[in-house]
């Protein structure tokens, strides 16, 4: 049991526990802040999966951008959304949630079985044999940058156009209605 | 090094929690958080498989694309939620039953 495994299990428990609390709680503010904890634990998991650049991007964009945006929308939509959230029944097993619980549980069982039948695809085994696995301690940021600008240039441009469209669209949606 | 299946089990659990939130919650912001959880489960899968590709880094690069997509989704969804709140004074998706004028 080395320290990486211990850290991995701690991160996994924090991520799943805080996600469960996010789903369980009736309080909207608590839900948003526990989602914050989930995102940080997931960034830790990315570091353990040897993807440091993705982890830093996750912290910058999700925690710095998306979460602040959600909090902002929540404060603008005011008191009534809080009331709507707290008016639900506060029992753990309540009959209205039973179909949702059943759906999520059965989905998990299906995915778990699919995972047990065929754990590693053929290309993963080939990558392990030919030594293409990322080793701890290698710095890959330069490689990521070169690949982003050469091999994956088309998806990069597509995503930048899409981001601009989304920006213009959300600015258009949230302006004040004057002449309809 | 952590086995691939451990990451996949965590990702499946997060995906199911997100699915439960989407189906059961009565608040548009909490449904949005559920969608974000499912997206994060997908990103975790991409990163976990990206461990086996040192040359092309396809897993990590598409994880970055997925993060950007999530940011765009959230911006548009929150603008829509604010508009809906301005018109109906509620953000419960079950109570919004009229379109336009």
């Amino acid at each position: 049991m080395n320290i990486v495994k211990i850290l991995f299990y701690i991160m996994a428990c924090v991520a799943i526990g805080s996600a469960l609390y996010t789903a369980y709680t009736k309080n909207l503010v608590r839900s948003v802040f526990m989602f914050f904890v989930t995102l940080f634990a997931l960034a830790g998991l990315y570091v353990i999966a040897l993807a440091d650049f993705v982890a830093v991007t996750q912290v910058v964009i999700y925690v710095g951008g998306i979460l602040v945006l959600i909090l902002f929308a929540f404060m603008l939509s005011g008191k009534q959304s809080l009331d709507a959230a707290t008016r639900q029944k506060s029992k753990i097993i309540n009959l209205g949630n039973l179909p949702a619980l059943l759906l999520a549980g059965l989905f998990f069982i299906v995915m778990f079985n699919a995972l047990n039948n065929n754990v590693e695809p053929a290309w993963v085994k080939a990558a392990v044999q030919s030594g293409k696995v990322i080793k701890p301690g290698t710095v890959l940021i330069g490689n990521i940058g070169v690949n982003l600008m050469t091999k994956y240039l088309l998806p990069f441009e597509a995503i930048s156009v899409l981001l601009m469209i989304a920006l213009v669209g959300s600015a258009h949606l949230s302006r004040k209605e004057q002449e309809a | 090094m952590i086995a691939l299946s451990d990451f996949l089990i965590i990702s499946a659990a997060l995906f199911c929690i997100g699915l439960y939130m989407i189906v059961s919650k009565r608040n548009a912001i909490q449904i949005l958080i559920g969608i974000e959880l499912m997206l994060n489960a997908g990103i975790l899968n991409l990163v976990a498989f990206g461990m086996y590709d040192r040359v092309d880094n396809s897993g990590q690069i598409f994880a970055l694309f997925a993060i950007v997509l999530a940011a765009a989704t959230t911006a548009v969804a929150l603008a829509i939620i604010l508009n809906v709140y301005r018109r109906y004074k509620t953000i419960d998706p079950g109570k919004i039953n009229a379109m336009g004028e």
Side-chain angles (χ1 to χ4, degrees), chain A residues 42-43 45-55 58 134, chain B residues 4 7-8 40-53 58-64 67:
Chain A
L42 273 169
L45 282 179
Y46 297 163
V47 172
I48 292 173
L50 305 176
D52 1 5
F53 187 66
V54 181
Q58 161 101 352
I134 298 176
Chain B
L4 182 61
F7 283 107
L8 298 190
N40 261 300
I43 295 169
L44 182 58
N45 257 2
L46 282 175
V47 167
F49 278 106
M51 240 187 332
Y52 296 94
D53 191 0
S58 45
Q60 297 191 22
I61 287 177
F62 278 94
L64 291 176
I67 290 175

Side-chain angles (χ1 to χ4, degrees), chain A residues 108-127:
Chain A
F108 184 70
I109 290 170
V110 167
M111 285 203 274
F112 194 77
N113 272 339
L115 221 111
N116 270 354
N117 288 340
N118 183 15
V119 177
E120 290 195 337
W123 68 269
V124 168
K125 282 177 192 148

Side-chain angles (χ1 to χ4, degrees), chain B residues 4-19:
Chain B
L4 182 61
S5 54
D6 293 354
F7 283 107
L8 298 190
I9 288 173
I10 292 170
S11 160
L14 283 176
F15 190 87
C16 291
I17 294 169
L19 189 66

Side-chain angles (χ1 to χ4, degrees), chain A residues 117-168:
Chain A
N117 288 340
N118 183 15
V119 177
E120 290 195 337
W123 68 269
V124 168
K125 282 177 192 148
V128 170
Q129 271 170 5
S130 61
K132 274 166 76 180
V133 183
I134 298 176
K135 304 245 176 351
T138 50
V139 178
L140 280 176
I141 296 177
N143 198 11
I144 288 176
V146 169
N147 272 325
L148 202 61
M149 281 296 145
T150 53
K151 195 171 180 194
Y152 301 103
L153 190 60
L154 183 64
F156 182 76
E157 290 296 331
I159 210 119
S160 58
V161 170
L162 185 127
L163 194 60
M164 199 188 68
I165 294 172
L167 253 168
V168 173

Side-chain angles (χ1 to χ4, degrees), chain A:
Chain A
M1 197 87 171
N2 52 355
I3 193 158
V4 178
K5 264 211 151 107
I6 296 170
L7 272 177
F8 174 80
Y9 286 119
I10 291 173
M11 295 285 184
C13 289
V14 169
I16 292 182
S18 59
L20 277 175
Y21 190 78
T22 307
Y24 164 72
T25 183
K26 296 290 181 286
N27 190 329
L28 188 54
V29 186
R30 273 190 196 160
S31 160
V32 171
F33 278 103
M34 286 315 273
F35 185 56
F36 185 82
V37 175
T38 312
L39 290 177
F40 261 117
L42 273 169
L45 282 179
Y46 297 163
V47 172
I48 292 173
L50 305 176
D52 1 5
F53 187 66
V54 181
V56 173
T57 314
Q58 161 101 352
V59 170
V60 169
I61 293 187
Y62 261 104
V63 181
I66 293 180
L67 220 61
V68 171
L69 213 62
I70 290 177
L71 273 179
F72 181 67
F74 155 71
M75 282 166 185
L76 276 184
S77 68
K79 192 169 160 296
Q80 256 159 340
S81 64
L82 260 185
D83 292 345
T86 47
R87 234 185 293 122
Q88 293 180 30
K89 295 192 189 72
S90 57
K91 282 182 289 186
I92 302 172
I93 310 284
N94 110 30
L95 213 57
N97 282 345
L98 196 61
L101 265 179
L102 215 64
L103 181 68
L106 289 179
F107 215 85
F108 184 70
I109 290 170
V110 167
M111 285 203 274
F112 194 77
N113 272 339
L115 221 111
N116 270 354
N117 288 340
N118 183 15
V119 177
E120 290 195 337
W123 68 269
V124 168
K125 282 177 192 148
V128 170
Q129 271 170 5
S130 61
K132 274 166 76 180
V133 183
I134 298 176
K135 304 245 176 351
T138 50
V139 178
L140 280 176
I141 296 177
N143 198 11
I144 288 176
V146 169
N147 272 325
L148 202 61
M149 281 296 145
T150 53
K151 195 171 180 194
Y152 301 103
L153 190 60
L154 183 64
F156 182 76
E157 290 296 331
I159 210 119
S160 58
V161 170
L162 185 127
L163 194 60
M164 199 188 68
I165 294 172
L167 253 168
V168 173
S170 58
H172 175 79
L173 273 176
S174 57
R175 84 199 193 292
K176 283 226 165 64
E177 288 182 47
Q178 282 149 358
E179 65 284 356

